[in-house]
Amino acid sequence: MSGAVTKKVGLISSIISTAKPNLNTFIKYAKVELTPPKLSDLPEVKNEISKIIQTAKSGRWKNITVKDATINSLVAIEVLMWFYVGECIGKRHLIGYDIKL
């Protein structure tokens, strides 16, 4: 019995030692990527939006590489999927709304 407990403790300690660096990396990136925008970020957002509009007007979007187009498409799909996840969370159902008559 004590051998099984020792093996479990060893397994748990090895899992913790393996997960700790990954968790630290996740926390480091989460602090940067998951924070809401600050008021100081708004001028940068405005500039980026104006760049997107200028690119669309000038036709420069036709000259992007396949790699950049793929990355942009994947980012757009990710944003769309997060929208759908938010909708499901908001209505508390996967399909339809719970309407009580």
Side-chain angles (χ1 to χ4, degrees), residues 1 6-7 12 14 27 29-30 41 46-47 55 57 64 101:
M1 184 71 164
T6 306
K7 287 182 182 180
I12 291 172
S14 68
I27 290 172
Y29 288 118
D41 295 337
K46 183 180 175 186
N47 290 338
T55 302
K57 285 181 180 177
I64 64 173
L101 297 175

Short mmCIF file of all heavy atoms in Angstrom, two decimals, residues 1 6-7 12 14 27 29-30 41 46-47 55 57 64 101:
data_model
loop_
_atom_site.label_atom_id
_atom_site.label_comp_id
_atom_site.label_asym_id
_atom_site.label_seq_id
_atom_site.Cartn_x
_atom_site.Cartn_y
_atom_site.Cartn_z
N MET A 1 0.83 -1.19 0.00
CA MET A 1 0.00 0.00 0.00
C MET A 1 0.87 1.25 0.00
O MET A 1 0.57 2.20 -0.71
CB MET A 1 -0.92 -0.04 1.23
CG MET A 1 -1.88 1.08 1.29
SD MET A 1 -3.11 0.83 0.02
CE MET A 1 -4.34 1.92 0.56
N THR A 6 3.57 6.06 -2.60
CA THR A 6 4.83 6.67 -3.00
C THR A 6 4.86 6.92 -4.50
O THR A 6 5.33 7.97 -4.95
CB THR A 6 6.01 5.75 -2.61
OG1 THR A 6 5.91 5.45 -1.21
CG2 THR A 6 7.33 6.40 -2.90
N LYS A 7 4.34 5.98 -5.30
CA LYS A 7 4.30 6.16 -6.75
C LYS A 7 3.38 7.32 -7.13
O LYS A 7 3.69 8.10 -8.02
CB LYS A 7 3.84 4.88 -7.43
CG LYS A 7 4.88 3.78 -7.44
CD LYS A 7 4.37 2.56 -8.17
CE LYS A 7 5.41 1.44 -8.12
NZ LYS A 7 4.94 0.24 -8.82
N ILE A 12 2.60 12.80 -9.05
CA ILE A 12 2.06 14.14 -8.87
C ILE A 12 3.17 15.19 -8.86
O ILE A 12 3.06 16.25 -9.49
CB ILE A 12 1.22 14.22 -7.58
CG1 ILE A 12 -0.07 13.40 -7.76
CG2 ILE A 12 0.88 15.65 -7.22
CD1 ILE A 12 -0.88 13.23 -6.51
N SER A 14 6.09 14.97 -10.32
CA SER A 14 6.63 15.11 -11.67
C SER A 14 5.68 15.89 -12.57
O SER A 14 6.12 16.68 -13.41
CB SER A 14 6.93 13.74 -12.28
OG SER A 14 5.74 13.04 -12.53
N ILE A 27 0.96 32.44 -17.91
CA ILE A 27 0.64 33.63 -17.10
C ILE A 27 1.31 34.86 -17.68
O ILE A 27 0.72 35.94 -17.73
CB ILE A 27 1.03 33.38 -15.64
CG1 ILE A 27 0.08 32.35 -15.02
CG2 ILE A 27 0.99 34.68 -14.83
CD1 ILE A 27 0.48 31.89 -13.64
N TYR A 29 2.12 35.52 -20.83
CA TYR A 29 1.41 35.96 -22.03
C TYR A 29 -0.02 36.39 -21.72
O TYR A 29 -0.56 37.27 -22.38
CB TYR A 29 1.43 34.89 -23.11
CG TYR A 29 2.80 34.73 -23.72
CD1 TYR A 29 3.48 33.53 -23.63
CD2 TYR A 29 3.40 35.78 -24.38
CE1 TYR A 29 4.74 33.39 -24.19
CE2 TYR A 29 4.65 35.65 -24.94
CZ TYR A 29 5.32 34.45 -24.86
OH TYR A 29 6.55 34.32 -25.40
N ALA A 30 -0.65 35.78 -20.74
CA ALA A 30 -2.02 36.13 -20.40
C ALA A 30 -2.09 37.55 -19.85
O ALA A 30 -3.05 38.28 -20.13
CB ALA A 30 -2.59 35.15 -19.39
N ASP A 41 -4.24 53.25 -25.50
CA ASP A 41 -4.19 52.39 -26.68
C ASP A 41 -5.12 52.86 -27.80
O ASP A 41 -5.00 52.41 -28.94
CB ASP A 41 -4.55 50.94 -26.32
CG ASP A 41 -3.55 50.31 -25.39
OD1 ASP A 41 -2.39 50.76 -25.37
OD2 ASP A 41 -3.92 49.34 -24.69
N LYS A 46 -7.02 53.59 -33.58
CA LYS A 46 -7.53 54.47 -34.63
C LYS A 46 -6.60 54.46 -35.84
O LYS A 46 -7.06 54.40 -36.98
CB LYS A 46 -7.68 55.89 -34.09
CG LYS A 46 -8.26 56.86 -35.06
CD LYS A 46 -8.39 58.25 -34.45
CE LYS A 46 -8.87 59.23 -35.50
NZ LYS A 46 -8.86 60.59 -35.00
N ASN A 47 -5.29 54.49 -35.59
CA ASN A 47 -4.33 54.45 -36.70
C ASN A 47 -4.41 53.13 -37.46
O ASN A 47 -4.32 53.12 -38.69
CB ASN A 47 -2.90 54.67 -36.18
CG ASN A 47 -2.67 56.08 -35.71
OD1 ASN A 47 -3.37 57.00 -36.12
ND2 ASN A 47 -1.69 56.27 -34.84
N THR A 55 -5.73 50.58 -47.03
CA THR A 55 -5.35 49.38 -47.78
C THR A 55 -6.51 48.90 -48.64
O THR A 55 -6.31 48.51 -49.79
CB THR A 55 -4.92 48.28 -46.80
OG1 THR A 55 -3.84 48.75 -46.02
CG2 THR A 55 -4.50 47.02 -47.53
N LYS A 57 -8.98 50.77 -49.84
CA LYS A 57 -9.25 51.74 -50.90
C LYS A 57 -8.20 51.67 -52.01
O LYS A 57 -8.53 51.81 -53.18
CB LYS A 57 -9.28 53.15 -50.33
CG LYS A 57 -10.52 53.47 -49.55
CD LYS A 57 -10.48 54.90 -49.05
CE LYS A 57 -11.72 55.26 -48.26
NZ LYS A 57 -11.63 56.63 -47.72
N ILE A 64 -0.78 40.88 -50.83
CA ILE A 64 -0.26 40.21 -49.64
C ILE A 64 0.11 38.77 -49.98
O ILE A 64 -0.38 38.20 -50.95
CB ILE A 64 -1.27 40.26 -48.46
CG1 ILE A 64 -2.55 39.50 -48.79
CG2 ILE A 64 -1.56 41.67 -48.07
CD1 ILE A 64 -3.48 39.38 -47.61
N LEU A 101 -43.17 30.64 -22.00
CA LEU A 101 -44.47 31.23 -22.35
C LEU A 101 -45.40 31.23 -21.18
O LEU A 101 -45.45 30.52 -20.31
CB LEU A 101 -45.09 30.47 -23.52
CG LEU A 101 -44.27 30.53 -24.81
CD1 LEU A 101 -44.92 29.63 -25.85
CD2 LEU A 101 -44.24 31.96 -25.32
#
